[in-house]
Structure formats: structure tokens, C-alpha cells
Amino acid sequence: MLEMRPICENCRKSLPNESDEAMICTYECTFCKDCVENILEDVCPNCGGGFTNRPTRPTKCITQNCVKNHPVSTKEIYKPIDKEKFKRIYDEFVYLEPRKR
């Protein structure tokens, strides 16, 4: 089940369940749209993958699969970008489409 992390790993911007600013990679690394577009340029600094909009978990419990029964994470992961380490990953992947990395 998707972890639904509460903040941007780089800038600590709040990314609650209903946020349309939350972006994730395939490993659930979570960043805000601003960091993805303006700093990372769609390259995850942890795995080199691309990003997609994070879905929201339903708040209306019509089924058992909703935020009441499966709360979003409160665990904050804050790892500001290490520009030196990121440069190697960035240079390798920035010109490749995410599905071809």
C-alpha cells in the first residue's frame, strides 16, 4: 500500500493527502511539484526515476479502502538534495525519458 508521505523530502513543504502538489517516483520518494520541476527536472535524486502525481486516498469510506481505515503516514523523510551526489544521477538520466532509464 502506498505510504503517502506528508512532506517534500527536499524543502519540507506540507503534502497532505489532498495535495495536488505531491509527486512520487516508483519507490515512493516524495517531493513537491516545485522541487520536481525546478530543481530535480523530473530526475529522482534517490533512484534516477521519473515522477508522477501522487494519488489521493479516498476520504469517504464507501468501501474499507479509505483514509480512515488506512491513514496516511506521519513519518517525515527530510533529505535535502546533496547537489554533488545528485549531479552524477542527473547527468546520467536527465536526457532520457523516465521509461527508458
Side-chain angles (χ1 to χ4, degrees):
M1 181 177 309
L2 191 61
E3 189 176 351
M4 305 286 287
R5 298 175 184 168
I7 64 168
C8 174
E9 290 183 27
N10 183 56
C11 72
R12 293 188 59 109
K13 180 177 185 172
S14 178
L15 298 170
N17 179 50
E18 64 277 1
S19 176
D20 60 359
E21 294 289 313
M23 306 289 287
I24 58 171
C25 77
T26 189
Y27 291 99
E28 298 181 41
C29 302
T30 304
F31 294 88
C32 70
K33 192 172 281 196
D34 186 50
C35 285
V36 167
E37 292 175 354
N38 299 310
I39 297 171
L40 304 174
E41 296 185 49
D42 199 30
V43 177
C44 179
N46 302 316
C47 69
F51 290 93
T52 191
N53 292 327
R54 183 187 72 190
T56 55
R57 190 156 293 155
T59 55
K60 295 181 179 167
C61 291
I62 295 171
T63 71
Q64 293 298 311
N65 297 318
C66 62
V67 76
K68 176 183 165 193
N69 296 324
H70 302 282
V72 298
S73 178
T74 57
K75 177 182 168 189
E76 294 187 0
I77 297 176
Y78 178 57
K79 299 185 303 187
I81 306 307
D82 178 325
K83 292 180 182 179
E84 191 173 303
K85 287 181 182 177
F86 179 53
K87 183 176 180 354
R88 191 181 109 250
I89 295 168
Y90 177 86
D91 289 347
E92 182 71 27
F93 294 119
V94 70
Y95 299 110
L96 295 173
E97 291 293 321
R99 293 197 181 273
K100 295 183 180 184
R101 294 179 186 167

XYZ file of all heavy atoms in Angstrom:
820
model
N 0.850 -1.175 0.000
C 0.000 0.000 0.000
C 0.893 1.235 0.000
O 1.899 1.281 0.697
C -0.897 -0.011 1.231
C -1.810 1.178 1.263
S -2.960 1.189 2.643
C -3.670 -0.417 2.541
N 0.515 2.239 -0.748
C 1.264 3.484 -0.863
C 1.406 4.162 0.490
O 0.438 4.300 1.236
C 0.529 4.398 -1.848
C 1.244 5.637 -2.335
C 2.516 5.284 -3.088
C 0.318 6.419 -3.255
N 2.624 4.578 0.809
C 2.909 5.154 2.126
C 2.306 6.548 2.332
O 1.964 6.908 3.449
C 4.426 5.215 2.336
C 4.826 5.584 3.732
C 6.324 5.537 3.935
O 7.065 5.058 3.066
O 6.756 6.002 4.986
N 2.185 7.353 1.316
C 1.587 8.695 1.396
C 2.337 9.579 2.397
O 1.827 9.973 3.445
C 0.104 8.627 1.763
C -0.742 7.759 0.861
S -1.079 8.482 -0.737
C -2.250 9.738 -0.292
N 3.580 9.895 2.082
C 4.436 10.701 2.956
C 3.940 12.142 3.048
O 3.462 12.697 2.069
C 5.876 10.632 2.458
C 6.402 9.209 2.509
C 7.767 9.092 1.906
N 8.183 7.689 1.890
C 9.227 7.259 1.216
N 9.965 8.091 0.507
N 9.540 5.985 1.256
N 4.098 12.763 4.220
C 3.449 14.045 4.486
C 4.187 15.317 4.072
O 3.613 16.399 4.116
C 3.269 14.021 6.005
C 4.444 13.250 6.498
C 4.652 12.174 5.448
N 5.478 15.199 3.676
C 6.227 16.408 3.307
C 7.128 16.140 2.104
O 7.438 14.997 1.779
C 7.111 16.932 4.467
C 8.188 15.915 4.831
C 6.278 17.354 5.663
C 9.287 16.445 5.750
N 7.573 17.228 1.493
C 8.582 17.154 0.434
C 9.915 16.797 1.081
O 10.316 17.415 2.073
C 8.676 18.504 -0.280
S 10.019 18.601 -1.505
N 10.594 15.816 0.516
C 11.882 15.381 1.062
C 12.947 16.461 0.965
O 13.908 16.452 1.719
C 12.384 14.136 0.331
C 11.587 12.906 0.628
C 12.135 11.658 -0.048
O 13.370 11.592 -0.324
O 11.342 10.750 -0.306
N 12.796 17.391 0.038
C 13.813 18.415 -0.149
C 13.531 19.702 0.623
O 14.398 20.208 1.312
C 13.977 18.743 -1.636
C 15.081 19.740 -1.872
O 16.219 19.530 -1.474
N 14.751 20.842 -2.513
N 12.332 20.225 0.548
C 12.054 21.552 1.125
C 11.101 21.527 2.314
O 10.812 22.570 2.889
C 11.523 22.493 0.054
S 9.822 22.138 -0.484
N 10.604 20.371 2.669
C 9.689 20.170 3.804
C 8.294 20.784 3.591
O 7.543 20.924 4.537
C 10.286 20.690 5.109
C 11.478 19.904 5.570
C 11.927 20.319 6.945
N 10.852 20.123 7.894
C 10.810 19.197 8.828
N 11.816 18.371 8.944
N 9.811 19.093 9.646
N 7.940 21.105 2.374
C 6.590 21.619 2.109
C 5.579 20.556 2.524
O 5.758 19.370 2.258
C 6.423 21.934 0.629
C 5.048 22.473 0.290
C 4.940 22.849 -1.170
C 3.599 23.502 -1.420
N 3.520 24.044 -2.768
N 4.527 20.974 3.170
C 3.473 20.062 3.594
C 2.750 19.492 2.377
O 2.357 20.232 1.468
C 2.489 20.813 4.489
O 1.439 19.958 4.873
N 2.585 18.166 2.373
C 1.914 17.480 1.267
C 0.855 16.536 1.841
O 1.016 15.316 1.845
C 2.934 16.702 0.420
C 4.015 17.551 -0.251
C 5.090 16.664 -0.857
C 3.412 18.480 -1.289
N -0.237 17.103 2.330
C -1.290 16.262 2.903
C -1.957 15.404 1.829
O -1.726 15.583 0.625
C -2.270 17.277 3.488
C -2.047 18.522 2.707
C -0.594 18.521 2.330
N -2.777 14.484 2.263
C -3.468 13.558 1.374
C -4.104 14.270 0.175
O -3.991 13.808 -0.950
C -4.539 12.791 2.165
C -5.322 11.827 1.304
O -4.764 11.035 0.568
N -6.635 11.891 1.414
N -4.751 15.384 0.402
C -5.493 16.062 -0.668
C -4.635 16.976 -1.541
O -5.138 17.620 -2.462
C -6.659 16.866 -0.078
C -6.259 18.007 0.827
C -5.968 17.609 2.267
O -6.045 16.401 2.620
O -5.646 18.506 3.052
N -3.339 17.013 -1.305
C -2.461 17.909 -2.064
C -2.363 17.507 -3.529
O -2.169 16.342 -3.855
C -1.061 17.907 -1.444
O -0.193 18.695 -2.230
N -2.454 18.492 -4.403
C -2.210 18.226 -5.822
C -0.782 18.620 -6.192
O -0.406 18.633 -7.347
C -3.239 18.922 -6.710
C -3.239 20.429 -6.560
O -2.451 20.965 -5.750
O -4.029 21.083 -7.252
N 0.031 18.920 -5.185
C 1.433 19.277 -5.373
C 2.372 18.097 -5.144
O 3.565 18.196 -5.392
C 1.814 20.394 -4.389
C 1.109 21.713 -4.639
C 1.621 22.401 -5.889
O 2.850 22.490 -6.061
O 0.788 22.819 -6.704
N 1.863 16.985 -4.624
C 2.708 15.843 -4.283
C 3.064 15.026 -5.522
O 2.201 14.653 -6.302
C 2.012 14.957 -3.261
N 4.352 14.737 -5.663
C 4.862 13.928 -6.764
C 5.651 12.767 -6.160
O 6.330 12.938 -5.150
C 5.799 14.758 -7.645
C 5.197 16.059 -8.172
S 3.951 15.804 -9.423
C 4.948 15.305 -10.801
N 5.550 11.580 -6.792
C 6.276 10.413 -6.300
C 6.991 9.700 -7.442
O 6.590 9.790 -8.596
C 5.349 9.401 -5.580
C 4.234 8.918 -6.506
C 4.795 9.990 -4.296
C 3.405 7.766 -5.938
N 8.051 8.972 -7.063
C 8.712 8.082 -8.014
C 8.245 6.665 -7.705
O 7.434 6.450 -6.810
C 10.236 8.219 -7.908
S 10.941 7.376 -6.476
N 8.786 5.699 -8.376
C 8.361 4.322 -8.190
C 8.680 3.769 -6.804
O 8.064 2.820 -6.352
C 8.961 3.413 -9.284
O 8.370 2.133 -9.199
C 10.458 3.299 -9.152
N 9.638 4.385 -6.099
C 9.983 3.955 -4.741
C 9.290 4.805 -3.677
O 9.654 4.748 -2.512
C 11.502 3.981 -4.535
C 12.188 2.910 -5.331
C 12.795 3.201 -6.543
C 12.201 1.597 -4.883
C 13.414 2.212 -7.292
C 12.809 0.599 -5.625
C 13.409 0.919 -6.824
O 14.012 -0.075 -7.564
N 8.325 5.595 -4.088
C 7.536 6.463 -3.202
C 8.324 7.640 -2.650
O 7.898 8.278 -1.686
C 6.887 5.664 -2.069
C 5.916 4.623 -2.554
C 5.250 3.857 -1.427
O 4.888 4.468 -0.411
O 5.080 2.638 -1.578
N 9.501 7.922 -3.221
C 10.194 9.153 -2.849
C 9.209 10.274 -3.150
O 8.559 10.275 -4.195
C 11.467 9.331 -3.663
S 12.640 7.957 -3.478
N 9.075 11.213 -2.232
C 8.016 12.213 -2.332
C 8.595 13.621 -2.327
O 9.327 13.995 -1.412
C 7.029 12.054 -1.158
O 6.519 10.708 -1.163
C 5.867 13.018 -1.279
N 8.249 14.377 -3.359
C 8.709 15.750 -3.499
C 7.548 16.619 -3.961
O 6.590 16.116 -4.564
C 9.846 15.833 -4.529
C 11.097 15.118 -4.096
C 11.272 13.774 -4.367
C 12.076 15.785 -3.394
C 12.409 13.102 -3.956
C 13.228 15.125 -2.973
C 13.391 13.787 -3.253
N 7.642 17.913 -3.700
C 6.600 18.824 -4.179
C 6.833 19.105 -5.664
O 7.936 18.924 -6.188
C 6.592 20.111 -3.357
S 8.013 21.182 -3.608
N 5.794 19.525 -6.315
C 5.841 19.793 -7.755
C 6.912 20.833 -8.091
O 7.623 20.715 -9.085
C 4.468 20.254 -8.246
C 4.340 20.280 -9.748
C 2.921 20.553 -10.170
C 2.154 19.263 -10.027
N 0.872 19.258 -10.735
N 7.058 21.849 -7.249
C 8.045 22.905 -7.488
C 9.465 22.334 -7.502
O 10.250 22.637 -8.394
C 7.914 24.005 -6.434
C 8.807 25.186 -6.723
O 8.797 25.692 -7.863
O 9.554 25.597 -5.810
N 9.805 21.501 -6.521
C 11.139 20.892 -6.487
C 11.350 19.965 -7.681
O 12.419 19.976 -8.300
C 11.354 20.136 -5.175
S 11.664 21.217 -3.747
N 10.342 19.166 -8.040
C 10.460 18.240 -9.172
C 10.710 19.003 -10.468
O 11.581 18.643 -11.271
C 9.208 17.346 -9.300
C 9.178 16.612 -10.636
C 9.150 16.353 -8.154
N 9.966 20.077 -10.677
C 10.073 20.818 -11.934
C 11.286 21.747 -11.992
O 11.930 21.848 -13.034
C 8.795 21.621 -12.169
C 7.599 20.734 -12.450
C 6.291 21.500 -12.564
O 6.263 22.732 -12.323
O 5.277 20.855 -12.893
N 11.612 22.420 -10.902
C 12.618 23.478 -10.943
C 13.994 23.097 -10.400
O 14.964 23.787 -10.693
C 12.095 24.706 -10.199
C 10.839 25.237 -10.856
O 10.800 25.450 -12.060
N 9.795 25.430 -10.078
N 14.083 22.034 -9.629
C 15.375 21.617 -9.086
C 15.783 20.263 -9.646
O 16.904 20.090 -10.131
C 15.340 21.575 -7.541
C 15.080 22.984 -6.989
C 16.638 20.992 -6.988
C 14.823 23.016 -5.498
N 14.870 19.309 -9.595
C 15.185 17.933 -9.991
C 15.006 17.670 -11.478
O 15.571 16.712 -12.006
C 14.316 16.958 -9.189
C 14.423 17.087 -7.676
C 13.406 16.176 -6.993
C 15.828 16.789 -7.207
N 14.204 18.479 -12.149
C 13.909 18.312 -13.574
C 13.478 16.888 -13.900
O 13.952 16.274 -14.852
C 15.097 18.756 -14.434
C 15.397 20.237 -14.286
C 16.492 20.714 -15.213
O 16.411 20.394 -16.425
O 17.407 21.385 -14.731
N 12.580 16.351 -13.067
C 11.973 15.026 -13.253
C 12.972 13.878 -13.116
O 12.790 12.817 -13.702
C 11.229 14.944 -14.587
C 10.222 13.805 -14.614
O 9.677 13.462 -13.545
O 9.993 13.224 -15.691
N 14.040 14.078 -12.328
C 15.001 13.007 -12.044
C 15.031 12.819 -10.529
O 15.426 13.713 -9.795
C 16.419 13.352 -12.555
C 17.408 12.254 -12.175
C 16.417 13.571 -14.062
N 14.618 11.656 -10.058
C 14.637 11.388 -8.624
C 16.089 11.329 -8.148
O 16.892 10.586 -8.712
C 13.928 10.072 -8.303
S 13.971 9.691 -6.535
N 16.437 12.086 -7.122
C 17.818 12.090 -6.642
C 18.204 10.807 -5.907
O 19.377 10.573 -5.634
C 17.857 13.282 -5.690
C 16.466 13.379 -5.173
C 15.594 12.993 -6.343
N 17.227 9.974 -5.590
C 17.494 8.732 -4.872
C 17.642 7.532 -5.792
O 18.442 6.638 -5.527
C 16.378 8.463 -3.859
C 16.234 9.613 -2.880
O 17.209 10.149 -2.373
N 15.003 10.018 -2.628
N 16.864 7.497 -6.890
C 16.900 6.311 -7.755
C 17.102 6.639 -9.237
O 17.363 5.736 -10.018
C 15.612 5.500 -7.582
S 14.136 6.305 -8.248
N 16.955 7.891 -9.627
C 17.107 8.264 -11.028
C 15.831 8.151 -11.835
O 15.804 8.505 -13.005
N 14.769 7.656 -11.226
C 13.490 7.510 -11.923
C 12.794 8.845 -12.147
O 13.239 9.889 -11.687
N 11.692 8.778 -12.850
C 10.876 9.967 -13.082
C 9.774 10.054 -12.039
O 9.645 9.185 -11.171
N 8.991 11.092 -12.119
C 7.923 11.337 -11.151
C 6.553 11.348 -11.808
O 6.422 11.609 -12.999
C 8.132 12.700 -10.472
C 9.306 12.731 -9.547
C 10.547 13.135 -9.992
C 9.177 12.337 -8.227
C 11.643 13.162 -9.134
C 10.249 12.358 -7.355
C 11.491 12.775 -7.814
N 5.558 11.091 -10.990
C 4.166 11.192 -11.397
C 3.389 11.811 -10.246
O 3.867 11.835 -9.110
C 3.600 9.800 -11.776
O 2.342 9.967 -12.411
C 3.470 8.899 -10.570
N 2.203 12.324 -10.536
C 1.366 12.879 -9.473
C 0.991 11.779 -8.493
O 0.612 10.688 -8.908
C 0.085 13.481 -10.042
C 0.343 14.716 -10.866
O 1.249 15.476 -10.585
N -0.452 14.911 -11.895
N 1.115 12.076 -7.210
C 0.712 11.097 -6.199
C -0.807 11.092 -6.109
O -1.433 12.150 -6.063
C 1.307 11.472 -4.834
C 0.980 10.438 -3.756
C 1.431 10.890 -2.396
N 0.573 11.975 -1.931
C 0.837 12.718 -0.860
N 1.932 12.520 -0.165
N 0.016 13.680 -0.489
N -1.423 9.931 -6.089
C -2.885 9.883 -5.949
C -3.306 10.287 -4.535
O -2.480 10.350 -3.624
C -3.223 8.419 -6.217
C -1.987 7.675 -5.892
C -0.838 8.588 -6.176
N -4.567 10.546 -4.370
C -5.111 10.812 -3.039
C -5.861 9.578 -2.574
O -6.383 8.812 -3.384
C -6.073 12.012 -3.045
O -7.087 11.784 -4.004
C -5.356 13.296 -3.373
N -5.873 9.391 -1.286
C -6.604 8.265 -0.711
C -8.039 8.735 -0.453
O -8.247 9.823 0.089
C -5.925 7.838 0.600
C -6.468 6.533 1.125
C -5.463 5.829 2.016
N -4.310 5.384 1.240
C -3.105 5.180 1.757
N -2.881 5.361 3.031
N -2.112 4.782 0.996
N -9.058 7.960 -0.816
C -10.447 8.368 -0.603
C -10.726 8.704 0.872
O -10.263 8.015 1.773
C -11.263 7.154 -1.037
C -10.376 6.422 -1.977
C -8.989 6.641 -1.466
N -11.464 9.774 1.074
C -11.836 10.170 2.443
C -13.240 9.686 2.793
O -13.569 9.553 3.964
C -11.782 11.699 2.619
O -12.596 12.318 1.635
C -10.356 12.199 2.481
N -14.050 9.423 1.785
C -15.392 8.884 2.023
C -15.299 7.368 2.061
O -14.920 6.736 1.079
C -16.366 9.344 0.948
C -16.576 10.835 1.000
C -17.561 11.299 -0.032
C -17.708 12.795 0.127
N -18.373 13.416 -0.968
N -15.648 6.804 3.169
C -15.474 5.355 3.374
C -16.661 4.547 2.849
O -17.355 3.869 3.609
C -15.217 5.075 4.847
S -13.623 5.666 5.389
N -16.866 4.598 1.557
C -17.891 3.772 0.926
C -17.421 2.320 0.927
O -18.202 1.398 1.078
C -18.174 4.278 -0.503
C -18.769 5.686 -0.414
C -19.101 3.339 -1.249
C -18.889 6.388 -1.739
N -16.119 2.132 0.780
C -15.508 0.799 0.901
C -14.572 0.832 2.108
O -14.387 1.864 2.733
C -14.685 0.441 -0.357
O -13.510 1.240 -0.374
C -15.504 0.636 -1.625
N -13.939 -0.266 2.396
C -12.977 -0.311 3.503
C -11.653 0.373 3.152
O -10.844 0.653 4.025
C -12.717 -1.772 3.908
C -13.921 -2.441 4.529
C -14.345 -1.739 5.818
O -13.536 -1.462 6.693
N -15.637 -1.444 5.917
N -11.467 0.628 1.876
C -10.214 1.228 1.414
C -10.328 2.742 1.393
O -10.616 3.352 0.367
C -9.855 0.696 0.026
C -9.611 -0.786 0.055
O -8.975 -1.283 0.975
N -10.127 -1.495 -0.923
N -10.087 3.339 2.550
C -10.181 4.783 2.676
C -9.207 5.270 3.743
O -8.625 4.477 4.485
C -11.606 5.204 3.009
S -12.185 4.551 4.581
N -9.036 6.562 3.825
C -8.055 7.157 4.731
C -8.363 6.867 6.207
O -7.439 6.745 7.010
C -7.904 8.668 4.441
C -9.059 9.465 4.990
C -6.578 9.184 4.952
N -9.615 6.693 6.549
C -9.961 6.369 7.936
C -9.396 5.013 8.336
O -8.864 4.842 9.434
C -11.489 6.378 8.098
C -11.961 5.966 9.487
C -13.485 5.927 9.544
C -13.949 5.179 10.776
N -15.367 4.873 10.707
N -9.482 4.048 7.457
C -9.007 2.694 7.739
C -7.529 2.494 7.394
O -6.897 1.564 7.896
C -9.853 1.667 6.997
C -11.285 1.690 7.479
O -11.550 1.895 8.655
N -12.213 1.507 6.568
N -7.019 3.325 6.529
C -5.619 3.247 6.101
C -5.049 4.663 6.100
O -4.898 5.287 5.042
C -5.509 2.624 4.706
C -6.096 1.265 4.621
N -5.459 0.138 5.093
C -7.293 0.845 4.140
C -6.223 -0.915 4.888
N -7.348 -0.508 4.317
N -4.735 5.187 7.276
C -4.263 6.575 7.376
C -2.971 6.813 6.605
O -2.169 5.895 6.410
C -4.027 6.774 8.874
C -4.603 5.599 9.557
C -4.777 4.515 8.558
N -2.789 8.053 6.202
C -1.544 8.433 5.538
C -0.432 8.460 6.579
O -0.676 8.559 7.783
C -1.670 9.789 4.816
C -2.717 9.712 3.717
C -1.994 10.896 5.783
N 0.790 8.366 6.115
C 1.947 8.327 7.013
C 2.154 9.665 7.719
O 1.864 10.733 7.169
C 3.201 7.991 6.206
O 4.339 7.993 7.038
N 2.655 9.595 8.926
C 3.056 10.805 9.649
C 4.581 10.870 9.735
O 5.133 11.838 10.260
C 2.471 10.818 11.081
O 2.894 9.644 11.768
C 0.951 10.899 11.032
N 5.250 9.847 9.204
C 6.715 9.784 9.227
C 7.284 10.753 8.197
O 7.017 10.620 7.002
C 7.158 8.359 8.921
C 8.645 8.179 8.856
C 8.964 6.735 8.508
C 10.424 6.596 8.144
N 10.712 5.273 7.610
N 8.042 11.717 8.675
C 8.640 12.705 7.779
C 10.029 12.251 7.343
O 10.860 11.902 8.168
C 8.722 14.063 8.469
C 7.360 14.657 8.754
C 7.428 16.072 9.292
O 8.548 16.615 9.454
O 6.363 16.632 9.547
N 10.247 12.251 6.043
C 11.556 11.956 5.483
C 12.082 13.252 4.886
O 11.525 13.769 3.920
C 11.488 10.843 4.421
C 11.006 9.556 5.083
C 12.839 10.656 3.741
C 10.795 8.406 4.154
N 13.114 13.780 5.506
C 13.695 15.050 5.076
C 15.160 14.823 4.732
O 15.984 14.567 5.599
C 13.543 16.087 6.187
C 14.146 17.436 5.875
C 13.748 18.150 4.751
C 15.092 17.995 6.706
C 14.293 19.387 4.468
C 15.636 19.237 6.440
C 15.240 19.929 5.321
O 15.781 21.161 5.041
N 15.446 14.827 3.432
C 16.801 14.608 2.939
C 17.067 15.647 1.848
O 16.913 15.357 0.661
C 16.961 13.209 2.345
C 16.721 12.072 3.309
C 17.008 10.714 2.701
C 16.207 10.455 1.455
N 16.322 9.119 0.908
N 17.436 16.869 2.241
C 17.698 17.885 1.218
C 18.679 17.375 0.168
O 19.571 16.572 0.473
C 18.286 19.050 2.012
C 17.809 18.842 3.405
C 17.709 17.355 3.583
N 18.521 17.832 -1.032
C 19.338 17.374 -2.151
C 20.814 17.681 -1.895
O 21.173 18.816 -1.591
C 18.904 18.071 -3.469
C 17.426 17.901 -3.727
C 19.733 17.572 -4.650
C 16.916 16.512 -3.694
N 21.642 16.658 -2.012
C 23.092 16.833 -1.988
C 23.474 17.070 -3.446
O 23.500 16.135 -4.257
C 23.758 15.573 -1.428
C 25.274 15.666 -1.406
O 25.875 16.283 -2.323
O 25.872 15.108 -0.473
N 23.726 18.316 -3.794
C 23.930 18.682 -5.197
C 25.081 17.921 -5.853
O 25.009 17.569 -7.022
C 24.117 20.190 -5.325
C 22.852 20.939 -5.012
C 23.028 22.426 -5.130
C 21.720 23.102 -4.736
N 21.784 24.528 -4.803
N 26.135 17.638 -5.097
C 27.275 16.911 -5.653
C 26.899 15.473 -6.012
O 27.217 14.982 -7.089
C 28.424 16.927 -4.652
C 29.737 16.442 -5.231
C 30.875 16.629 -4.254
O 31.104 17.766 -3.814
O 31.514 15.611 -3.928
N 26.204 14.792 -5.118
C 25.769 13.416 -5.388
C 24.704 13.381 -6.479
O 24.688 12.489 -7.322
C 25.227 12.766 -4.118
C 26.289 12.416 -3.123
C 25.680 11.757 -1.898
C 26.730 11.432 -0.867
N 26.155 10.854 0.348
N 23.798 14.353 -6.450
C 22.717 14.399 -7.427
C 23.242 14.654 -8.833
O 22.696 14.142 -9.801
C 21.691 15.453 -7.034
C 20.551 15.591 -8.005
C 19.801 14.487 -8.391
C 20.226 16.818 -8.546
C 18.744 14.599 -9.287
C 19.170 16.945 -9.432
C 18.432 15.840 -9.808
N 24.319 15.404 -8.973
C 24.849 15.742 -10.298
C 25.146 14.489 -11.117
O 24.838 14.434 -12.297
C 26.097 16.613 -10.167
C 26.646 17.055 -11.524
C 27.803 17.990 -11.394
C 28.385 18.449 -12.714
N 27.937 17.911 -13.946
N 25.731 13.470 -10.496
C 26.053 12.231 -11.220
C 24.786 11.555 -11.741
O 24.710 11.134 -12.891
C 26.835 11.285 -10.315
C 27.424 10.121 -11.071
C 28.192 9.164 -10.175
N 27.385 7.949 -10.081
C 26.730 7.530 -9.009
N 26.787 8.199 -7.900
N 26.016 6.431 -9.027
N 23.767 11.464 -10.891
C 22.491 10.847 -11.274
C 21.803 11.697 -12.334
O 21.328 11.197 -13.344
C 21.585 10.674 -10.035
C 22.213 9.682 -9.061
C 20.178 10.228 -10.436
C 21.568 9.646 -7.699
N 21.764 13.000 -12.093
C 21.128 13.941 -13.018
C 21.756 13.838 -14.411
O 21.058 13.695 -15.408
C 21.261 15.360 -12.461
C 20.712 16.420 -13.369
C 19.363 16.751 -13.337
C 21.537 17.103 -14.257
C 18.851 17.728 -14.170
C 21.035 18.084 -15.089
C 19.692 18.395 -15.052
O 19.186 19.363 -15.881
N 23.088 13.925 -14.463
C 23.779 13.895 -15.758
C 23.507 12.596 -16.517
O 23.428 12.598 -17.742
C 25.292 14.066 -15.567
C 25.670 15.480 -15.144
O 24.824 16.397 -15.232
O 26.825 15.660 -14.703
N 23.352 11.500 -15.808
C 23.103 10.202 -16.438
C 21.688 10.091 -17.014
O 21.481 9.487 -18.061
C 23.330 9.085 -15.414
C 23.152 7.696 -15.958
C 24.261 7.261 -16.902
O 25.399 7.758 -16.786
O 23.973 6.408 -17.768
N 20.700 10.701 -16.331
C 19.300 10.441 -16.671
C 18.492 11.599 -17.235
O 17.424 11.368 -17.790
C 18.562 9.908 -15.438
C 19.045 8.562 -14.985
C 19.583 8.400 -13.723
C 18.971 7.463 -15.808
C 20.025 7.155 -13.287
C 19.412 6.214 -15.386
C 19.942 6.062 -14.130
N 18.947 12.816 -17.111
C 18.095 13.958 -17.456
C 17.619 13.951 -18.913
O 16.521 14.396 -19.208
C 18.761 15.305 -17.090
C 19.942 15.607 -18.001
C 17.726 16.427 -17.106
N 18.423 13.430 -19.823
C 18.043 13.452 -21.232
C 17.343 12.186 -21.703
O 17.031 12.044 -22.884
C 19.264 13.753 -22.097
C 19.856 15.104 -21.775
C 21.079 15.212 -21.135
C 19.155 16.272 -22.055
C 21.602 16.453 -20.804
C 19.671 17.510 -21.737
C 20.893 17.603 -21.106
O 21.398 18.825 -20.772
N 17.087 11.266 -20.767
C 16.368 10.037 -21.110
C 14.940 10.108 -20.585
O 14.712 10.563 -19.471
C 17.056 8.818 -20.480
C 18.454 8.473 -20.966
C 19.038 7.353 -20.115
C 18.416 8.083 -22.427
N 14.012 9.636 -21.371
C 12.639 9.543 -20.897
C 12.613 8.597 -19.682
O 13.340 7.590 -19.678
C 11.730 8.975 -21.993
C 11.521 9.909 -23.164
C 10.737 11.138 -22.763
O 9.788 11.033 -21.967
O 11.089 12.233 -23.252
N 11.794 8.900 -18.671
C 11.769 8.052 -17.466
C 11.608 6.557 -17.743
O 12.232 5.738 -17.094
C 10.602 8.606 -16.663
C 10.584 10.059 -17.025
C 10.933 10.074 -18.487
N 10.805 6.172 -18.731
C 10.595 4.743 -19.005
C 11.784 4.089 -19.695
O 11.815 2.874 -19.878
C 9.342 4.550 -19.845
C 8.086 4.925 -19.072
C 6.850 4.372 -19.726
N 5.672 4.749 -18.985
C 5.165 4.084 -17.966
N 5.750 3.002 -17.534
N 4.078 4.505 -17.352
N 12.778 4.882 -20.084
C 13.955 4.326 -20.753
C 15.212 4.445 -19.887
O 16.315 4.227 -20.365
C 14.163 5.037 -22.081
C 13.015 4.771 -23.027
C 13.222 5.380 -24.356
C 11.996 5.047 -25.209
N 12.126 5.513 -26.546
N 15.018 4.784 -18.617
C 16.182 4.918 -17.728
C 16.569 3.584 -17.222
O 17.327 3.208 -16.558
C 15.858 5.881 -16.582
C 15.655 7.277 -17.090
C 15.324 8.230 -15.980
N 14.992 9.522 -16.573
C 14.429 10.504 -15.936
N 14.125 10.377 -14.660
N 14.160 11.626 -16.539
